[in-house]
């Protein structure tokens, strides 16, 4: 889910890793396209052709009054400028802001630092990147794995997550066990709520689904933070596979909740709308929940938690 690196024509690393696709989705591709387009200008500092600030472009915030604490920080544009408001949406850290063009400065790829998707402050997986302000590729581990951040067990577990088959429209929602009884029960409740929504297509059923989602996501995030993601790696410098997984997972929770909220704002609830929610939930469970199942179950067992 990360691009290993973007190099210029001289072989200099200008970006060690792009944002995770599962965190920012299609914007991750736009980010790379913007870097490559800027590099193709020959490093002259000229912006890529087309709109001055495109989704995926890296910018530096400046002149903000209400959020002066963010001035000087890097951000990634996630939505092009709205002609009516003269603003575009940018993401800085885990925050999304709507800012005027006067408050952002388009950056060249070689200037991209750590907070907008360049190499992490304090270094890559082993022996540091961002040294002297220039991104450098991390050392490869002896076993040839992905930069040594994951243990062999984690790598094996991630690789073992199956790709779900295409969903059959109208079929019951199916979620594989995550080997934690309380979470399995909540998944069944969410699936039942989706089934009810498919039958009734009513605001009441949509609100019931929203309640199931909110309760389940809060419980799941609490368990993961306590038993898997409590490591100091989440707040220290350097690359953390768990930190990236956590951000991506939480962001997809927000996306699923927004999907139900959008449904509630509609005048009518069509079967296709419900089917899209069901497909999203199944895909989320396979991509995210399946990835933590073995580790969380083992952690709970080791701590004597039923």
């Amino acid at each position: 889910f990360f691009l290993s690196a973007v190099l210029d024509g001289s072989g200099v690393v200008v970006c060690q890793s792009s944002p995770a696709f599962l965190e920012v989705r299609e914007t991750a591709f736009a980010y790379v396209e913007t870097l490559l387009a800027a590099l193709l200008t020959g490093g002259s500092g000229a912006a890529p052709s087309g709109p001055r600030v495109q989704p995926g472009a890296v910018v530096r915030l400046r002149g903000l009054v209400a959020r002066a604490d963010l001035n000087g920080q890097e951000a990634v544009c996630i939505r092009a400028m709205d002609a009516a408001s003269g603003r575009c949406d940018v993401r800085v850290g885990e925050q999304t802001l709507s800012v005027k063009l006067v408050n952002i400065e388009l950056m060249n790829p070689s200037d991209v630092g750590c907070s907008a998707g360049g190499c992490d402050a304090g270094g890559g997986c082993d022996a540091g990147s961002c040294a002297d302000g220039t991104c450098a590729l991390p050392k490869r581990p002896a076993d040839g794995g992905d930069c040594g951040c994951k243990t062999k067990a984690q790598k094996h577990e991630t690789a073992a997550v199956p790709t779900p088959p295409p969903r059959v429209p109208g079929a019951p929602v199916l979620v594989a066990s995550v080997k934690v009884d309380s979470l399995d029960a909540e998944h069944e409740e969410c699936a039942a709520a989706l089934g009810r929504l498919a039958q009734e297509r009513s605001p009441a059923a949509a609100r019931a689904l929203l309640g199931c989602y909110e309760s389940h996501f809060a419980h799941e995030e609490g368990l993961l933070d306590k038993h898997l993601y409590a490591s100091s790696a989440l707040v220290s410098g350097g690359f953390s596979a768990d930190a990236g997984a956590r951000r991506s997972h939480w962001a997809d929770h927000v996306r699923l909740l927004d999907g139900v909220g959008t449904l509630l704002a509609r005048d009518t609830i069509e079967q296709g709308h419900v089917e899209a929610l069901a497909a999203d939930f199944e895909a989320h469970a396979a991509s995210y929940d399946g990835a933590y199942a073995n580790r969380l179950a083992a952690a709970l067992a080791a701590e004597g938690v039923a």
Side-chain angles (χ1 to χ4, degrees), residues 214-253:
E214 290 174 336
S215 176
H216 166 57
F217 294 161
H219 180 217
E220 180 183 60
E221 290 174 8
L223 282 178
L224 290 171
D225 270 348
K226 181 177 181 180
H227 300 286
L228 288 191
Y229 299 151
S231 168
S232 60
L234 294 179
V235 295
S236 63
F239 177 84
S240 167
D242 277 346
R246 180 183 185 275
R247 284 193 303 268
S248 299
H249 196 158
W250 279 211
D252 212 54
H253 282 169

Side-chain angles (χ1 to χ4, degrees), residues 129-152:
S129 53
C130 281
D132 300 322
T134 302
C135 293
L137 289 173
K139 291 183 178 180
R140 304 297 296 178
D143 66 358
D146 292 336
C147 73
C149 298
K150 294 184 180 182
T151 64
K152 291 182 180 179

Side-chain angles (χ1 to χ4, degrees), residues 157-165 176 283 285-287 290-291:
E157 180 178 318
T158 300
V161 176
T163 301
S287 297

Side-chain angles (χ1 to χ4, degrees), residues 27-116:
T27 302
F29 298 119
Y31 175 89
V32 176
E33 290 169 359
T34 301
L35 285 178
L36 296 177
L39 286 173
L40 289 173
T41 65
S44 62
S49 59
R52 183 173 183 271
V53 180
Q54 306 176 46
V58 183
V59 299
R60 178 176 286 120
L61 301 175
R62 64 184 182 184
L64 296 174
V65 177
R67 293 301 311 271
D69 57 305
L70 297 179
N71 287 330
Q73 293 197 33
E74 295 165 10
V76 178
C77 177
I78 60 174
R79 186 172 293 116
M81 185 191 75
D82 177 72
S85 66
R87 293 173 175 268
C88 67
D89 290 353
V90 299
R91 182 165 185 166
V92 53
E94 297 186 359
Q95 305 177 64
T96 299
L97 304 176
S98 179
V99 297
K100 297 179 180 178
L101 291 185
V102 70
N103 295 124
I104 57 178
E105 173 188 359
L106 189 65
M107 299 182 64
N108 292 323
S110 60
D111 296 327
V112 176
C114 307
S115 60

Side-chain angles (χ1 to χ4, degrees), residues 10-26:
S10 302
V12 175
V13 179
V14 295
C15 176
Q16 184 192 16
S17 61
S18 66
F21 170 79
L22 290 178
E23 184 176 349
V24 298
R25 306 188 74 78
E26 285 75 12

